Amino acid sequence: MFTQAIVRVPGSNFADGLTSVELGVPEHELVMQQWNEYCGALLLCGLSITRLEADLAYPDSTFVEDTAVITPHGAMLTRPGAASRLGEVVAIARTVRNSYPEAAEIAVPGTLDGGDICEAGSHFFLGLSDRTNEEGARQLAEHLAKEGYTSSLVDVRGMTSILHLKSGISYIGPGPAGENTLVVMEEMADWPEFAGFDLLRVSAEESYAANCVRVNERVLVAAGYPLMTEELRRRGYDPQVLEMSEFRKMDGGLSCLSLRF
Ligand code: CIR
């Protein structure tokens, strides 16, 4: 069960952040509306929210997930792989340390974005991407092992369609009958790394919906992907549908907008 979330208000310069897609410029009013609805959904899931003020020095800083990896046993502050985002960690460290005073830190030359780290029960998938390098993943694996978790690498560097590992997979198990459900975009669904999980395959035309988030009894899922939403219902999950159009324009998904613990 999660009880808390950390979020950061999107800045008025949110549109100046990094993006690899050409979906247009986010409209600030809509950004705020969608972000407020997202926070409302977290409240509905029973979480208390720590809301950090907008930080105009870092247009991408509303994507707080990339700055830390938090487990029930501890926290690791990251070293984001994009130079323009490195300073975001300094700004969030104090808040994370309020709950995890002993939080560790990824050290040079490691780089790691939280979006590449997928918790799947007692195992973690560590994505290697343009943002997370082998040294960053190695340091996190060592930290997680001390906490009793296993981990394995998933190399997504060859994939142009996703920014982070969690743009393509999300762990939402256990399901109503104890299923160990891993949501996977079709392109990755046959990868041997994911054998052994109950896969929920997301069709190519709905691949953005592969980034969903289990929060206690609900699953947050992006609006506009009816097959995915229906499949979650069919499997006995309770989907909470949220409009994400403006965050998608900046390569953001549902998981990146909060740190949950
Ligand atoms: C970036 O390129 O870093 C941001 N515009 C988007 C980060 C999305 N984060 C995530 O999926 N965890």
Side-chain angles (χ1 to χ4, degrees):
M1 284 291 276
F2 293 125
T3 58
Q4 299 193 54
I6 300 171
V7 296
R8 187 182 287 286
V9 179
S12 52
N13 61 351
F14 173 67
D16 296 338
L18 301 169
T19 187
S20 66
V21 290
E22 291 181 5
L23 296 172
V25 179
E27 277 177 45
H28 191 64
E29 234 171 79
L30 267 185
V31 170
M32 292 311 299
Q33 185 184 321
Q34 292 176 8
W35 186 80
N36 282 320
E37 283 167 11
Y38 178 86
C39 292
L42 293 181
L43 290 173
L44 205 65
C45 294
L47 305 195
S48 312
I49 294 187
T50 301
R51 178 184 183 276
L52 304 176
E53 288 313 315
D55 185 347
L56 297 185
Y58 301 102
D60 278 315
S61 57
T62 194
F63 298 122
V64 287
E65 175 184 62
D66 292 320
T67 59
V69 176
I70 301 182
T71 75
H73 305 292
M76 171 68 95
L77 296 163
T78 69
R79 239 187 119 245
S84 66
R85 301 197 59 191
L86 270 173
E88 290 179 28
V89 177
V90 180
I92 206 147
R94 192 181 319 150
T95 308
V96 170
R97 288 206 157 106
N98 281 339
S99 302
Y100 295 91
E102 310 290 321
E105 290 172 32
I106 297 288
V108 180
T111 63
L112 188 134
D113 278 15
D116 279 316
I117 310 308
C118 180
E119 168 272 327
S122 60
H123 186 76
F124 278 75
F125 291 113
L126 314 180
L128 295 176
S129 69
D130 288 345
R131 302 290 179 86
T132 298
N133 65 15
E134 283 167 15
E135 175 56 18
R138 191 197 61 73
Q139 291 177 27
L140 182 63
E142 206 174 281
H143 166 87
L144 291 171
K146 285 187 204 143
E147 294 185 351
Y149 296 102
T150 56
S151 62
S152 57
L153 299 177
V154 182
D155 194 342
V156 297
R157 288 173 293 195
M159 291 184 70
T160 49
S161 57
I162 57 173
L163 174 66
H164 289 124
L165 173 62
K166 269 194 300 192
S167 321
I169 71 168
S170 307
Y171 179 71
I172 59 164
E179 306 89 335
N180 205 20
T181 311
L182 188 72
V183 173
V184 190
M185 66 193 280
E186 190 57 41
E187 213 178 326
M188 302 167 81
D190 293 322
W191 289 16
E193 288 94 326
F194 310 130
F197 284 86
D198 296 302
L199 297 187
L200 191 167
R201 302 167 83 108
V202 182
S203 63
E205 58 278 15
E206 294 205 349
S207 61
Y208 178 74
N211 180 271
C212 56
V213 192
R214 172 84 183 258
V215 189
N216 301 338
E217 300 309 316
R218 295 186 165 84
V219 177
L220 311 185
V221 61
Y225 304 96
L227 297 175
M228 169 67 174
T229 307
E230 194 39 47
E231 184 58 18
L232 285 168
R233 278 206 189 94
R234 198 188 66 75
R235 293 184 184 220
Y237 289 97
D238 184 5
Q240 177 83 31
V241 178
L242 290 164
E243 186 53 68
M244 287 293 291
S245 64
E246 304 313 287
F247 297 102
R248 189 179 180 190
K249 291 175 180 173
M250 303 308 289
D251 276 333
L254 286 159
S255 67
C256 18
L257 288 177
S258 59
L259 281 164
R260 305 155 296 277
F261 53 101

Short mmCIF file of all heavy atoms in Angstrom, two decimals, residues 18 60 63 65-66 85 115 131 163-164 250-253 256, ligand 1:
data_model
loop_
_atom_site.label_atom_id
_atom_site.label_comp_id
_atom_site.label_asym_id
_atom_site.label_seq_id
_atom_site.Cartn_x
_atom_site.Cartn_y
_atom_site.Cartn_z
N LEU A 18 12.39 19.20 -22.29
CA LEU A 18 12.87 18.33 -23.37
C LEU A 18 11.71 17.56 -23.98
O LEU A 18 10.79 17.16 -23.27
CB LEU A 18 13.86 17.32 -22.80
CG LEU A 18 15.10 17.87 -22.10
CD1 LEU A 18 15.83 16.75 -21.37
CD2 LEU A 18 16.00 18.54 -23.12
N ASP A 60 11.42 20.65 -16.74
CA ASP A 60 10.96 19.26 -16.68
C ASP A 60 10.74 18.76 -15.25
O ASP A 60 10.47 17.57 -15.04
CB ASP A 60 12.01 18.34 -17.35
CG ASP A 60 11.87 18.30 -18.87
OD1 ASP A 60 10.72 18.19 -19.34
OD2 ASP A 60 12.89 18.39 -19.56
N PHE A 63 8.24 16.25 -13.61
CA PHE A 63 8.41 14.80 -13.79
C PHE A 63 9.29 14.24 -12.66
O PHE A 63 10.40 13.74 -12.89
CB PHE A 63 9.01 14.51 -15.17
CG PHE A 63 8.14 14.96 -16.31
CD1 PHE A 63 8.61 15.86 -17.25
CD2 PHE A 63 6.84 14.49 -16.45
CE1 PHE A 63 7.81 16.29 -18.31
CE2 PHE A 63 6.03 14.91 -17.50
CZ PHE A 63 6.52 15.81 -18.43
N GLU A 65 9.33 11.72 -10.84
CA GLU A 65 9.70 10.30 -10.74
C GLU A 65 11.16 10.06 -11.13
O GLU A 65 11.80 9.14 -10.62
CB GLU A 65 8.81 9.47 -11.67
CG GLU A 65 9.24 8.01 -11.70
CD GLU A 65 8.44 7.17 -12.68
OE1 GLU A 65 8.49 7.44 -13.89
OE2 GLU A 65 7.76 6.27 -12.20
N ASP A 66 11.68 10.88 -12.02
CA ASP A 66 13.03 10.63 -12.52
C ASP A 66 14.12 10.94 -11.50
O ASP A 66 15.27 10.58 -11.70
CB ASP A 66 13.26 11.44 -13.81
CG ASP A 66 12.39 10.91 -14.93
OD1 ASP A 66 12.24 9.68 -15.03
OD2 ASP A 66 11.82 11.71 -15.69
N ARG A 85 18.58 18.41 -16.52
CA ARG A 85 17.75 17.95 -15.41
C ARG A 85 18.57 17.59 -14.17
O ARG A 85 17.98 17.29 -13.11
CB ARG A 85 16.90 16.74 -15.85
CG ARG A 85 15.98 17.06 -17.03
CD ARG A 85 14.88 16.03 -17.18
NE ARG A 85 14.06 15.95 -15.98
CZ ARG A 85 13.17 15.00 -15.75
NH1 ARG A 85 12.98 14.05 -16.65
NH2 ARG A 85 12.46 14.98 -14.63
N GLY A 115 12.41 6.88 -14.34
CA GLY A 115 11.51 6.34 -15.35
C GLY A 115 12.00 5.03 -15.95
O GLY A 115 11.25 4.32 -16.61
N ARG A 131 19.25 7.67 -21.05
CA ARG A 131 19.34 8.41 -19.78
C ARG A 131 20.03 7.62 -18.67
O ARG A 131 20.67 8.20 -17.80
CB ARG A 131 17.93 8.79 -19.30
CG ARG A 131 17.13 9.62 -20.28
CD ARG A 131 17.70 11.03 -20.40
NE ARG A 131 16.95 11.83 -21.36
CZ ARG A 131 15.85 12.52 -21.06
NH1 ARG A 131 15.38 12.52 -19.84
NH2 ARG A 131 15.25 13.24 -21.99
N LEU A 163 11.16 6.62 -24.42
CA LEU A 163 12.23 7.38 -23.75
C LEU A 163 12.83 6.54 -22.63
O LEU A 163 14.04 6.47 -22.47
CB LEU A 163 11.62 8.68 -23.19
CG LEU A 163 12.54 9.55 -22.33
CD1 LEU A 163 13.68 10.12 -23.18
CD2 LEU A 163 11.74 10.69 -21.68
N HIS A 164 11.95 5.95 -21.83
CA HIS A 164 12.37 5.19 -20.65
C HIS A 164 11.77 3.78 -20.70
O HIS A 164 10.76 3.56 -21.37
CB HIS A 164 11.80 5.85 -19.37
CG HIS A 164 12.44 7.15 -19.02
ND1 HIS A 164 11.72 8.30 -18.85
CD2 HIS A 164 13.73 7.47 -18.76
CE1 HIS A 164 12.55 9.29 -18.50
NE2 HIS A 164 13.76 8.81 -18.44
N MET A 250 5.41 16.33 -24.01
CA MET A 250 6.78 16.49 -23.50
C MET A 250 7.36 15.13 -23.11
O MET A 250 8.23 15.04 -22.24
CB MET A 250 6.77 17.43 -22.28
CG MET A 250 6.17 18.79 -22.54
SD MET A 250 6.86 19.66 -23.96
CE MET A 250 8.49 20.05 -23.33
N ASP A 251 6.87 14.06 -23.74
CA ASP A 251 7.38 12.70 -23.49
C ASP A 251 7.04 12.19 -22.09
O ASP A 251 7.68 11.25 -21.60
CB ASP A 251 8.92 12.64 -23.62
CG ASP A 251 9.36 12.46 -25.06
OD1 ASP A 251 8.60 11.89 -25.85
OD2 ASP A 251 10.47 12.91 -25.37
N GLY A 252 6.08 12.81 -21.43
CA GLY A 252 5.75 12.40 -20.05
C GLY A 252 4.59 11.42 -20.02
O GLY A 252 3.72 11.44 -20.90
N GLY A 253 4.59 10.59 -19.00
CA GLY A 253 3.50 9.65 -18.80
C GLY A 253 2.98 9.76 -17.37
O GLY A 253 3.46 10.59 -16.58
N CYS A 256 5.52 9.33 -14.32
CA CYS A 256 6.57 10.34 -14.05
C CYS A 256 6.10 11.51 -13.20
O CYS A 256 6.93 12.24 -12.67
CB CYS A 256 7.19 10.89 -15.32
SG CYS A 256 6.32 10.67 -16.80
C1 CIR B 1 12.36 14.44 -20.29
O1 CIR B 1 12.66 14.33 -21.48
O2 CIR B 1 13.16 14.19 -19.40
C2 CIR B 1 10.99 14.94 -19.93
N1 CIR B 1 10.52 15.85 -20.91
C3 CIR B 1 10.03 13.79 -19.80
C4 CIR B 1 10.35 12.87 -18.67
C5 CIR B 1 9.36 11.77 -18.51
N2 CIR B 1 9.66 10.98 -17.38
C6 CIR B 1 9.29 9.72 -17.22
O3 CIR B 1 8.71 9.13 -18.11
N3 CIR B 1 9.62 9.11 -16.10
#
